[in-house]
Structures are given as structure tokens and as C-alpha cells.
Amino acid sequence: MTLSASHPLMDGRTADSPLIAAYRGKTPSRRPVWFMRQAGRSLPEYRKVREGIGMLESCLLPELASEITLQPVRRHDVDAGIFFSDIVIPLKLAGVDVDIVPGVGPVLGTPVRTAADVASLPELTDESLAPIREAVALTVAQLGSTPLIGFAGAPFTLAAYMVEGKPSRDHLGPRTMMHADPETWQALTDWAADASGKFLRAQLEAGASAGQLFDSWAGSLGLADYTAKVAPASARALDHVRGLGAPLIHFGTGTSELLGAMRDVGVDVVGVDYRLPLDEANRRLGGTVALQGNIDPALLEAPWPVLEAHVRQVLEAGSAAPGHVVNLGHGVPPETNPEVLTRVVELIHSVEP
């Protein structure tokens, strides 16, 4: 398994970029930064191109998805594009009845709660991923030396949505299933792992230079449950892309106690949310991997001197790690002033790597 000779990582376009250098533990030419959810909600140009178009439809129109991905790179001079899509797109492309309801989130027509429900899930085919490949190729053609990051939802987070049928506060349904019906749980997370893995692989093969696995809800788990019931599925998802040579990142929210186990599924970079200082995260991980994070999104609305001091603290703490890519400790809030993000990027780039 290797990337094609014309892939941006292979033909020299992105291999020496600040982002890839930092992911690989090398000293970058400038401090790299990108923001989770930079493509979307906070940008007026995003709201304009999305008018009258549903979220999942937006993700599956290649030219629109590409344009949305490129918008924050143009505006903020960030060091990477993050592919505009959604973690439930693999479900949609496989034929699962799912939609994103404004103000609610992903909602399934029928929750998946029994062995029969799992057995009847359709398989995600490579052919159905054509719109994803097309959108990535369109985007990469315009990004030049700026890398594109592909992403997928981790199996636990996907399975949590599937069992609950909608977003949940405590994820009691999936946490119950993993103990009350462990065979069905494993079958479901295996299905989710393969769907996410194929989704991520399509992005990397089409031109993305790195891949991130998002585990939005893993913070609801204790370490023992995560290690025994979730980590094997995350490793299975990454097995689909492990041999390609692109850096792999693993991020979850509320996962300070899980960082070692998240690293051990086999990644190059661990994303850290805003709850744990990066120097402490590096200590817990023994200095073994590059880190990504972790500006607190809540501070984006603070007075500039407060935000600047916080960003400088993050840079200082991140310098303890073998490599550091600056990001938020979660996604960009919808009400964020885009000019603040641009100013944060300028600040980060002004500090010597």
C-alpha cells in the first residue's frame, strides 16, 4: 500500500511543509496552525454558499465541499486545509437513513440496537466514495504546497450515534451495549471501523497529506472500557490507511486519561483538548509523539491581551513535545469573529519555531 507518485506527499508539494514537518517531529520553517471546524460555521462566505443547501448535501457536492474547504485557508493563512465533510457521511453513502438536523445533529431514521440491526447494515463500497475522491482532488489541485488533512469519525463516536439514533449527553446506550451485548457491540464497532477506514483511505489516496481520527465522545468512557471495548476498533479503522505513509492523528474530547491508549492504537500525533496543558500531556505520553492543540475556544471571545497570553502559554507548553501543531482544544464556535482567528494565526507565525 503506497500513495501514487503524483500524490502531494510523494511529488514534493507538501512533504516539507510546516505541518508535515511538525507531525513528523522535525523543526518546521514556521509554527504550523490549523483549526478544527475552520471550514464552516464562523465564516460569512461559508453561510453564503450554503444558503438553501442541507449539510449532508453540501458535503456530497464536490465543487461546493472543495470551495468550503479552501475558504479558511485563503482567509486565515492556516497551514492546512481540513476536508469539509461530516463523520456520518460514510453512513449516508452506505445507504443508512441518516440526516443532520439543524440545532440537533445527526439523527438516524432507525437506531441500531440489536444483532439483527447490525447484520442488516449495508456495506460501504469504494464506488460510493467517488464524490469524496472528486472533492479531495479538486481541493488539492488548488492548495499547492498547503497540505489537506483528511478525517473520519472514530468507531465509538459513530456507534454512539447509531445506537442512540441521535446525539446524547451521557452515551448510556452504547456504554450499556458494550457490556450487556458484547458480541453485537463488537460487530457494530467493526462495521463502523471499516466504514470510517474506507472513508479516510479515499481521502488520503485522492491527495490528503495527513489523516485525523475524531473520537468526539470517547471522553464518556473510563480507561478500562476504552482499552478493552473501543481501542481495537479504532486500530481497525486506522489499519485501512496505516501503510500509506501519511501522518495519522488521533483526537478526542475529554480524553486526558485516555491519551496513552489513544496513542497505542498506532498514530504519529495525539490531539489534546483544552482541559490538559500540553507539557503535562507530553509528560504522560513520555515524549513519544507529536502533539496537536490546544487553545481553549472559550478564550476566542476574551480581550486580546488575555487571548494572546493564553496562545503564548500554549506555544510554550507545546514546545516540550517532539513536535507541535497548534490548534484549538475543540472546534471553532459558530459565533467566533473570523478576524480574531486571523490575528491568532499571525501571532503564532510570528513566534520562532
Side-chain angles (χ1 to χ4, degrees), residues 21-28 268 278 282-283 285-291 317-325:
Y23 278 162
R24 289 178 167 164
K26 301 174 183 176
T27 302
D268 308 284
L278 291 176
N282 184 63
R283 187 193 70 77
L285 290 163
T288 53
V289 286
L291 297 181
S319 66
H324 177 214
V325 170

Side-chain angles (χ1 to χ4, degrees), residues 12 38 89 110 144 239 326:
Q38 68 186 17
I89 284 290
T110 307
D239 285 344
V326 187

Side-chain angles (χ1 to χ4, degrees), residues 3-340:
L3 299 170
S4 71
S6 61
H7 190 283
L9 270 182
M10 306 300 286
D11 68 11
R13 274 178 284 169
T14 62
D16 297 322
S17 64
L19 180 92
I20 300 300
Y23 278 162
R24 289 178 167 164
K26 301 174 183 176
T27 302
S29 57
R30 69 180 187 183
R31 288 181 182 255
V33 53
W34 66 279
F35 303 114
M36 287 180 281
R37 292 187 180 154
Q38 68 186 17
R41 305 178 297 179
S42 68
L43 298 182
E45 57 265 42
Y46 165 76
R47 292 192 290 272
K48 185 175 180 180
V49 298
R50 274 278 321 276
E51 280 178 6
I53 305 174
M55 175 62 183
L56 295 187
E57 185 185 355
S58 301
C59 297
L60 295 174
L61 293 170
E63 290 187 359
L64 181 57
S66 176
E67 167 60 21
I68 293 170
T69 302
L70 292 163
Q71 286 175 345
V73 182
R74 294 189 201 112
R75 180 187 270 263
H76 302 310
D77 190 30
V78 282
D79 294 281
I82 176 71
F83 183 55
F84 177 74
S85 194
D86 191 272
I87 64 168
V88 299
I89 284 290
L91 277 66
K92 183 78 172 176
L93 291 176
V96 174
D97 179 10
V98 62
D99 199 6
I100 295 182
V101 178
V104 179
V107 175
L108 273 74
T110 307
V112 180
R113 293 176 178 166
T114 67
D117 292 340
V118 176
S120 66
L121 285 169
E123 183 181 352
L124 178 65
T125 65
D126 285 340
E127 293 74 23
S128 66
L129 289 160
I132 304 305
R133 291 194 184 86
E134 183 181 346
V136 168
L138 286 171
T139 307
V140 168
Q142 295 188 63
L143 279 173
S145 61
T146 301
L148 178 68
I149 300 170
F151 81 96
F156 176 75
T157 291
L158 272 188
Y161 281 125
M162 295 171 79
V163 173
E164 299 280 8
K166 61 184 188 305
S168 158
R169 182 165 299 193
D170 57 10
H171 314 294
L172 192 61
R175 292 193 295 118
T176 298
M177 183 193 280
M178 68 173 62
H179 296 288
D181 192 353
E183 290 182 1
T184 298
W185 174 252
Q186 179 168 345
L188 176 58
T189 53
D190 282 353
W191 185 93
D194 290 339
S196 278
K198 291 175 184 177
F199 179 55
L200 186 56
R201 185 183 176 93
Q203 295 167 64
L204 289 171
E205 288 183 337
S209 292
Q212 176 159 305
L213 199 65
F214 279 84
D215 214 342
S216 308
W217 307 132
S220 66
L221 300 167
L223 179 59
D225 280 352
Y226 179 83
T227 303
K229 303 287 189 178
V230 172
S234 292
R236 178 175 175 137
L238 293 168
D239 285 344
H240 287 264
V241 295
R242 214 179 283 288
L244 295 177
L248 300 175
I249 311 108
H250 201 183
F251 172 77
T253 54
T255 50
S256 298
E257 304 307 313
L258 310 180
L259 294 179
M262 291 177 67
R263 172 202 58 199
D264 291 346
V265 303
V267 292
D268 308 284
V269 185
V270 172
V272 182
D273 80 357
Y274 57 87
R275 295 170 176 85
L276 189 71
L278 291 176
D279 48 357
E280 172 59 17
N282 184 63
R283 187 193 70 77
R284 294 185 185 190
L285 290 163
T288 53
V289 286
L291 297 181
Q292 182 172 276
N294 69 344
I295 298 167
D296 187 341
L299 272 78
L300 294 173
E301 300 253 354
W304 176 253
V306 176
L307 176 56
E308 179 181 2
H310 174 59
V311 171
R312 291 185 183 277
Q313 280 181 331
V314 169
L315 293 173
E316 177 64 28
S319 66
H324 177 214
V325 170
V326 187
N327 208 305
L328 300 180
H330 201 207
V332 174
E335 60 279 358
T336 302
N337 180 349
E339 293 176 9
V340 171

